Amino acid sequence: MLFNTSYKNEDYIKEVNRLIGKSYSFIEKLKMRGVGSRRLVVEELSPSVKPKNMQEIDANFASVELRPKGIVIHFSNRLDRYSWIVPYRLMAIFSTQTFSIHSNGQFIKLRKDKYYRDNKKFFDKMNGLKNAFLSTNYKIIE
């Protein structure tokens, strides 16, 4: 789900808290050694995630924020800031020539450059949190 978060958006706050939980407390952030990625270069956005007024001229940057039940991908377009909510249960990650995050037929592809290498430990942490969340919510039906 994509939201314009350039300004305070009550709908975004309610939806993100409902879907993927409230952000971690200050103490939890310290214990986790951070819950946000460094900046990443956006290579490509799926048409359903791409804003209508997207400018292709500038290099677009993104960052990823961890939440208890998912992630929020923040990216900008000129003066506007957008946030894409991705629950862990719907998230798929692929690492080919680009690093891509998919959810419900939508995707964002991130360039594998020095920014990606700086974020490698962060992505490992994100995968660990996703696996821990999915394993605790997995129920065997007999």
Side-chain angles (χ1 to χ4, degrees):
M1 189 168 279
L2 185 69
F3 288 94
N4 184 338
T5 54
S6 302
Y7 304 102
K8 189 171 181 177
N9 187 339
E10 293 295 328
D11 293 335
Y12 163 74
I13 294 169
K14 288 178 187 174
E15 195 66 19
V16 75
N17 289 340
R18 184 182 70 79
L19 284 175
I20 59 176
K22 293 185 178 186
S23 66
Y24 290 104
S25 70
F26 180 71
I27 301 298
E28 290 173 320
K29 288 178 185 178
L30 287 176
K31 287 179 183 176
M32 294 174 70
R33 298 180 183 219
V35 294
S37 71
R38 295 181 180 163
R39 76 179 192 171
L40 298 155
V41 179
V42 176
E43 189 77 22
E44 183 182 354
L45 289 166
S46 67
S48 55
V49 173
K50 188 181 289 190
K52 293 180 178 100
N53 62 349
M54 188 75 169
Q55 298 288 328
E56 299 294 333
I57 300 166
D58 300 332
N60 292 316
F61 295 100
S63 63
V64 179
E65 174 191 352
L66 298 174
R67 293 284 183 112
K69 297 187 279 182
I71 62 172
V72 180
I73 302 171
H74 303 284
F75 61 94
S76 59
N77 176 34
R78 298 248 172 186
L79 298 175
D80 293 330
R81 183 173 170 90
Y82 296 93
S83 298
W84 181 34
I85 303 170
V86 181
Y88 285 140
R89 60 187 170 80
L90 301 176
M91 184 173 71
I93 298 171
F94 299 102
S95 183
T96 57
Q97 280 103 5
T98 59
F99 181 81
S100 60
I101 300 172
H102 295 251
S103 175
N104 277 349
Q106 303 167 349
F107 65 86
I108 184 170
K109 291 185 180 181
L110 305 168
R111 188 179 298 162
K112 281 190 169 179
D113 56 0
K114 67 178 183 172
Y115 298 118
Y116 172 77
R117 288 190 296 277
D118 291 344
N119 283 303
K120 186 68 175 117
K121 287 183 182 178
F122 174 80
F123 289 129
D124 292 340
K125 183 191 314 183
M126 182 176 71
N127 271 335
L129 289 171
K130 176 188 173 194
N131 291 338
F133 174 77
L134 293 177
S135 66
T136 59
N137 291 325
Y138 183 73
K139 296 179 182 172
I140 299 174
I141 299 173
E142 295 181 5

